[in-house]
Amino acid sequence: MSNQSTAHHNEEPKSPLSHSSAAVVLSTTSTISTADALPASAEREEAQATVKVAVRDLSIHYGTTTALSGVSLDIAANEIFAIIGPANSGKSSFLQAINRMDLLRHNMSVSGSVLFNGIDTRSWRNVYALRRKIGVVFPLPVGLPLSIYDNVALAPRLRGIKKPSLLDEIVERSLRRAALWDEVKDRLQALGSLLSGGQQQRLTIARALSQDPEVLMLDEFSIAVDPVTTMRIEDVLKELKQQMTIILVTNLVQQANRLAERTAFFLNGECVEVGETEALFEGQVQDQRTLDYLQGRFG
Amino acid sequence: MEQPRSAPPLGTLLDDARDRDWYIDQFFRLLMFLCGISAVVFVLGIFIFVFKEGSGFIIQQMDWAEFFLSPKWRPTSAIRATYGTLAMVAGTAAVTLIAMAVALPLSFAAAIFIAEFARGRMREWLKVIIELLAAIPSVVWGFIGLMLINPLLIDTFDVPIGLNVLNAGLILGLMAAPIITSIAEDALKAVPDTYREAAEALGASKWQVVYKVVLPAAKNGLLSAALLGIGRAFGETMAVLMASGHALTIPSSPFDSIRALTATIAAELGETPVGSDHYQALFAIGIFLFTITFLINMSADFIVRGIKNQ
């Protein structure tokens, strides 16, 4: 925490033009209403009109293979930002670079910069603190071999919260926000892996929400989820947008259409274009390849 | 050569000849079956042999209370031979206990380092070296106990003799460590990487990932590694014989010499007339050991199976 506030002064010039680009995006939905449910709402309000994640000339290599080359884009606070594109286009690598998961992969090298709240993620000395601000949902639900309760309480416990009443509260709130509470409230001590696929995915969302992340990144969350549950999760995301920034990697273009204010199209490690989702789907594209992909005329 | 691979109509046997591949298949099936079944045959054969040699004594002569509760093992006494194993059981248990106290922390820490922290070449080298360590013959370990640890204990603790529970425990602990390490490392490697990633994405530090997620997920494998290590320490003969002092006492301190069950058999079997009471009593000890190690290995096995059923 102190890390963030001290470093904030050094990097101020990085988030200046926020009112022009990001505020337009946000104008369609009201964003102030539910912020009272959370602590630190002042900080949030200030952040609402700003660029949350700014990516500058980001390139990612695995050994000699290029996964992503020279991507620059801004993600505004409290928007849903979709990234679409075929397999191997660098979408997942992009997410990994944001919360510095590249540290776990010894052959993955990242160049360029990712500014989180205006601060270069590379200058964070405590990378774990950075990751706590960024929730991640993986393509296949990763239910840790723990009870439902322990799955959700894991992150708060890692942070040192021990008080049972507080943990109970966090678990219930997170499960409610992930629209799972009603289905599991009577069996919180059951193994998380006994839930159905869709429930497990919502469990991982609850887990990601357990530490009130500022950014929620979802990597093709609906791969192993049935359509009905997918729609439920999408509703959840629309709610969550009021409280956090959501980066949604998806290979369902219609999902991007339904949820995202803006969409980026990645192809072969290159960001082909970023635009207002509505405009893109209406055909106002700068690159023909984007239109081809959106209309399913690809390859 | 062949017709298109649609199913032949029933009753058409032209394509149904037993060809060379069929015979080869049958041959290898049989061969594999025999190899597979041989393990069962050997185990049963050994059990039957040991039981046959010891059963006469167990059924006719053995005083159960004396066998388990008396510390007096005097098979060659001219006045009245007694066959009590309590001292040996206590000695073996004490040695095993110390061995585990040495081996478990050492090997679990080593396994965690290799599986979770070591990378690339360092990790490969460590694995090779640990396997080498596991290949050192037990008589070499016994020699180390006799020539190296013995004087060391005498000097350090100012005791009259260094061949004792502590010495044998250290040796057995070091012997069991590489095996426990390798099994424990396998258990840790069996934990899917997605668990680690998920935890790291939640902001867990490397160490938190290990002790909050990986260790609990691997706990059955680790437990069975520990049990196999205990089985190994319990059944080891030569090193204990050389390092324990081979004195028939119930140990009251780590510096007491003891005699292990296994060592007793090894030391005495060659000098007893085949078929005598003494000879049969040694086989009764063999059956006792067999039962205990069998139980230990079985529980390890059940625990491992528990993992798969989760």
Side-chain angles (χ1 to χ4, degrees):
Chain A
M1 281 297 190
S2 62
N3 190 2
Q4 181 202 352
S5 55
T6 51
H8 212 283
H9 301 288
N10 309 335
E11 303 267 352
E12 220 146 327
K14 290 295 181 186
S15 55
L17 300 169
S18 46
H19 285 278
S20 56
S21 65
V24 173
V25 170
L26 294 169
S27 61
T28 47
T29 46
S30 82
T31 47
I32 309 159
S33 57
T34 54
D36 57 354
L38 291 158
S41 59
E43 193 186 312
R44 257 166 227 282
E45 250 169 73
E46 179 226 21
Q48 254 164 18
T50 60
V51 174
K52 195 74 193 170
V53 179
V55 177
R56 294 287 171 271
D57 199 26
L58 182 70
S59 296
I60 299 170
H61 300 273
Y62 293 96
T64 53
T65 328
T66 305
L68 205 65
S69 55
V71 171
S72 297
L73 49 83
D74 284 349
I75 296 166
N78 294 68
E79 76 168 329
I80 297 184
F81 186 89
I83 300 172
I84 58 171
N88 287 323
S89 53
K91 310 187 295 287
S92 300
S93 301
F94 178 80
L95 294 188
Q96 284 165 8
I98 290 180
N99 74 340
R100 305 244 35 215
M101 294 294 271
D102 57 296
L103 290 174
L104 300 181
R105 294 183 172 67
H106 28 289
N107 65 342
M108 177 173 172
S109 65
V110 177
S111 62
S113 60
V114 176
L115 307 176
F116 183 79
N117 287 338
I119 303 160
D120 193 329
T121 54
R122 225 80 64 81
S123 69
W124 282 70
R125 278 167 305 170
N126 184 352
V127 67
Y128 309 119
L130 170 70
R131 291 194 190 130
R132 280 184 220 130
K133 292 175 177 294
I134 303 175
V136 185
V137 175
F138 294 96
L140 298 174
V142 183
L144 296 170
L146 303 168
S147 71
I148 295 171
Y149 185 96
D150 291 340
N151 258 293
V152 183
L154 178 65
R157 278 182 179 147
L158 291 175
R159 212 172 38 185
I161 297 175
K162 290 202 177 77
K163 206 173 149 204
S165 61
L166 187 55
L167 284 174
D168 288 350
E169 193 191 313
I170 292 172
V171 169
E172 177 172 347
R173 191 181 64 215
S174 307
L175 286 169
R176 277 191 195 285
R177 287 164 93 187
L180 188 60
W181 174 253
D182 291 333
E183 288 161 60
V184 299
K185 65 180 176 212
D186 299 323
R187 46 178 177 142
L188 290 173
Q189 295 309 324
L191 266 182
S193 50
L194 297 177
L195 295 173
S196 74
Q199 287 173 326
Q200 281 195 45
Q201 194 58 297
R202 276 177 288 158
L203 179 62
T204 64
I205 292 177
R207 198 172 61 199
L209 294 175
S210 65
Q211 38 195 359
D212 286 323
E214 294 173 26
V215 173
L216 181 64
M217 307 197 296
L218 300 103
D219 190 357
E220 300 184 351
F221 73 87
S222 53
I223 272 186
V225 178
D226 66 277
V228 176
T229 312
T230 302
M231 297 315 281
R232 288 195 63 177
I233 297 178
E234 288 186 9
D235 290 340
V236 168
L237 295 181
K238 284 178 203 158
E239 285 285 318
L240 287 175
K241 184 177 71 172
Q242 327 246 330
Q243 294 145 21
M244 61 192 68
T245 307
I246 296 173
I247 306 175
L248 174 75
V249 162
T250 178
N251 48 17
L252 306 172
V253 290
Q254 285 310 320
Q255 191 169 62
N257 194 13
R258 287 192 295 268
L259 292 174
E261 279 92 4
R262 290 190 306 146
T263 297
F265 174 52
F266 280 24
L267 181 64
N268 296 330
E270 190 191 331
C271 179
V272 175
E273 73 174 281
V274 183
E276 307 269 324
T277 310
E278 224 169 290
L280 290 181
F281 275 84
E282 279 166 8
Q284 300 165 27
V285 296
Q286 283 147 21
D287 193 304
Q288 184 59 31
R289 290 174 296 176
T290 311
L291 194 62
D292 287 349
Y293 186 76
L294 289 177
Q295 297 180 345
R297 285 187 275 117
F298 209 75
Chain B
M1 189 174 139
E2 266 184 63
Q3 293 297 312
R5 285 200 169 262
S6 56
L10 285 175
T12 314
L13 292 175
L14 279 176
D15 287 342
D16 192 25
R18 289 177 170 177
D19 59 6
R20 203 168 127 259
D21 287 345
W22 187 90
Y23 284 108
I24 290 175
D25 182 61
Q26 291 299 306
F27 171 74
F28 276 103
R29 241 175 232 239
L30 187 69
L31 192 68
M32 294 303 129
F33 174 74
L34 290 178
C35 293
I37 208 86
S38 66
V40 180
V41 172
F42 288 135
V43 169
L44 272 181
I46 290 169
F47 187 76
I48 288 168
F49 170 73
V50 172
F51 197 78
K52 190 172 75 66
E53 296 294 317
S55 61
F57 175 78
I58 291 177
I59 294 162
Q60 287 154 22
Q61 321 258 202
M62 195 171 92
D63 178 350
W64 287 76
E66 181 191 271
F67 189 77
F68 288 110
L69 298 177
S70 162
K72 296 193 178 76
W73 178 260
R74 287 184 196 134
T76 51
S77 167
I79 308 150
R80 184 180 168 279
T82 55
Y83 302 97
T85 59
L86 185 66
M88 295 183 260
V89 172
T92 302
V95 168
T96 307
L97 204 71
I98 291 192
M100 287 304 109
V102 172
L104 289 183
L106 198 64
S107 42
F108 282 177
I112 289 172
F113 180 74
I114 295 173
E116 304 294 324
F117 293 94
R119 290 265 162 262
R121 187 163 294 178
M122 152 115 90
R123 178 189 172 140
E124 294 311 311
W125 273 107
L126 276 173
K127 287 177 78 166
V128 168
I129 291 169
I130 280 171
E131 264 149 44
L132 270 179
L133 215 56
I136 296 176
S138 64
V139 68
V140 173
W141 283 110
F143 186 74
I144 293 172
L146 207 58
M147 305 309 291
L148 212 71
I149 300 184
N150 180 25
L152 200 71
L153 290 182
I154 292 174
D155 288 351
T156 320
F157 296 103
D158 196 25
V159 285
I161 184 157
L163 299 175
N164 49 30
V165 173
L166 186 60
N167 190 336
L170 284 172
I171 289 294
L172 281 190
L174 293 176
M175 281 180 75
I179 295 163
I180 302 178
T181 305
S182 11
I183 300 171
E185 195 232 328
D186 286 345
L188 294 176
K189 278 284 112 187
V191 175
D193 274 342
T194 52
Y195 289 2
R196 296 183 179 85
E197 266 172 44
E200 296 244 11
L202 288 173
S205 67
K206 192 80 197 163
W207 176 242
Q208 285 176 324
V209 171
V210 170
Y211 93 105
K212 290 273 189 190
V213 176
V214 178
L215 289 184
K219 67 173 187 296
N220 286 358
L222 296 177
L223 199 59
S224 86
L227 279 176
L228 287 172
I230 291 175
R232 166 95 166 129
F234 203 82
E236 172 51 40
T237 308
M238 185 48 78
V240 204
L241 177 60
M242 292 167 79
S244 67
H246 205 58
L248 194 64
T249 48
I250 296 180
S252 56
S253 93
F255 301 109
D256 288 348
S257 296
I258 56 101
R259 189 200 274 203
L261 285 163
T262 49
T264 303
I265 301 178
E268 294 180 4
L269 193 59
E271 297 160 13
T272 54
V274 175
S276 66
D277 280 356
H278 185 190
Y279 175 90
Q280 293 192 18
L282 290 176
F283 273 93
I285 294 181
I287 293 171
F288 182 42
L289 271 174
F290 193 97
T291 315
I292 292 173
T293 37
F294 181 72
L295 287 178
I296 292 174
N297 282 358
M298 280 292 278
S299 32
D301 201 47
F302 276 124
I303 290 167
V304 171
R305 215 165 297 176
I307 302 173
K308 285 177 190 152
N309 291 345
Q310 255 175 25

